[in-house]
């Protein structure tokens, strides 16, 4: 159902996805300009991953009165790195990219801090290193849209902080449009230029994030935005002080 969009952004109108009698996405209308970094925040079961799968072209049963437009060159990063265990790291980076050369794969591995690990097996890498390979694989084809479905959700806190800095640097360097699905308000504020809240299949909040590139969670404005997002998620005030 997805078609090419010449402006390399994302556009949906009245997007609907139902499973039996349950509506997961309820008339989603969304525009993401080219190059914008958007975080999609929501509770478990709110429809976040369903929307991402629709944008990725992995769900062909979405409906809508309009159309779903995304760039032709789209890449996805999942919470699980989904590396091929029987292939070495460089082969994993180049997998599915017939036009990508070994030099491009090695350059991306260097960018993600894994120079010299081209011939390693995935089992020899830590969880954070495997996600670095997944990011390199997603970017080696120079996508115009990068979709990330809770890519750091399985990592420990310190590794997540490092991965946030890495993703920020990679996006600045490669300039794709980004939609990051997360359930972590702090992660959304740390990385995104704009945060959407999805609740019961509907977009209930669309909040621009006007903060410096380097963001301090201790700053008053960061905390104000955090309270706004958590309130939109239904978190009671006593729990967010």
């Amino acid at each position: 159902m997805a078609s090419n969009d010449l402006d390399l952004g994302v556009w949906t109108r009245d997007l609907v996805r139902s499973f039996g009698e349950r509506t997961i996405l309820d008339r989603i209308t969304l525009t993401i300009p080219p190059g914008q970094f958007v975080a999609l925040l929501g509770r478990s079961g709110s429809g976040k991953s369903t929307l991402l799968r629709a944008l990725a072209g992995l769900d062909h049963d979405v409906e809508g009165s309009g159309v779903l437009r995304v760039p032709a060159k789209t890449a996805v990063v999942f919470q699980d790195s989904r590396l091929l265990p029987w292939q070495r790291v460089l082969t994993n980076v180049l997998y599915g990219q017939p036009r990508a050369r070994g030099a491009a794969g090695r350059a991306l591995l260097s960018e993600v801090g894994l120079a010299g690990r081209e011939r390693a097996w995935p089992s020899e890498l830590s969880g954070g290193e495997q996600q670095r390979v997944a990011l390199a694989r997603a970017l080696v084809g120079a996508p115009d849209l990068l979709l990330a479905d809770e890519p750091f959700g399985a990592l420990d806190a310190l590794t997540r902080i490092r991965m946030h800095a890495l993703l920020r640097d990679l996006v600045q360097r490669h300039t794709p449009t980004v939609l990051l699905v997360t359930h972590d308000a702090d992660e959304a504020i740390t990385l995104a230029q704009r945060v959407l809240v999805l609740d019961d299949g509907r977009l209930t909040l669309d909040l621009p994030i006007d903060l410096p590139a380097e963001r301090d969670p201790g700053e008053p404005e960061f905390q104000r935005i955090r309270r706004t997002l958590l309130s939109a998620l239904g978190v009671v005030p006593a729990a967010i002080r």
Side-chain angles (χ1 to χ4, degrees):
M1 190 167 181
S3 61
N4 295 351
D5 188 1
L6 295 179
D7 71 5
L8 304 182
V10 171
W11 182 81
T12 74
R13 180 182 176 186
D14 291 338
L15 194 68
V16 174
R17 178 63 165 105
S18 298
F19 293 89
E21 296 183 355
R22 185 185 177 195
T23 299
I24 304 299
L25 300 177
D26 189 2
R27 299 189 299 278
I28 297 292
T29 295
L30 172 65
T31 299
I32 303 177
Q36 189 174 67
F37 193 131
V38 176
L40 180 63
L41 191 64
R43 293 173 288 188
S44 296
S46 61
K48 304 186 304 299
S49 294
T50 301
L51 178 56
L52 181 140
R53 287 177 58 83
L55 295 179
L58 300 175
D59 186 345
H60 302 289
D61 293 321
V62 291
E63 307 168 14
S65 62
V67 292
L68 165 60
R69 299 186 200 155
V70 297
K73 295 171 67 177
T74 297
V76 186
V77 180
F78 298 96
Q79 184 176 125
D80 181 340
S81 65
R82 303 196 179 190
L83 303 183
L84 302 176
W86 59 87
Q87 298 286 2
R88 297 185 188 271
V89 163
L90 181 58
T91 304
N92 268 284
V93 171
L94 299 175
Y95 183 78
Q97 297 291 339
R99 295 184 180 180
R101 305 298 180 189
R106 285 187 285 272
L108 258 301
L109 284 172
S110 179
E111 286 188 49
V112 300
L114 292 176
R117 305 299 304 276
E118 294 86 355
R119 291 192 55 76
W121 298 102
S123 61
E124 298 173 337
L125 305 180
S126 67
E129 288 172 333
Q130 290 179 17
Q131 283 302 87
R132 289 171 183 263
V133 176
L135 284 172
R137 180 179 59 194
L139 292 171
V140 74
D144 296 306
L145 174 64
L146 177 63
L147 300 168
D149 192 0
E150 300 194 44
F152 313 133
L155 304 179
D156 64 82
L158 290 178
T159 302
R160 282 170 67 102
I161 292 172
R162 297 188 185 101
M163 293 299 287
H164 289 165
L166 174 62
L167 180 58
R168 187 185 304 113
D169 290 344
L170 290 171
V171 169
Q172 289 176 349
R173 189 174 297 121
H174 295 273
T175 67
T177 305
V178 181
L179 180 67
L180 169 71
V181 166
T182 181
H183 63 272
D184 186 333
D186 287 359
E187 181 170 84
I189 303 167
T190 296
L191 291 171
Q193 298 168 302
R194 174 184 172 200
V195 179
L196 307 173
V197 173
L198 188 65
D199 188 27
D200 289 332
R202 294 188 177 185
L203 293 173
T204 58
L205 183 67
D206 186 341
L207 184 66
I209 306 299
D210 186 15
L211 291 172
E214 297 295 330
R215 299 171 184 181
D216 182 356
E219 289 294 325
E221 182 62 10
F222 190 107
Q223 290 300 315
R224 185 196 67 79
I225 295 170
R226 183 175 185 271
R227 288 192 295 270
T228 298
L229 293 176
L230 292 179
S231 178
L233 292 168
V235 179
V236 296
I240 61 178
R241 291 172 185 164

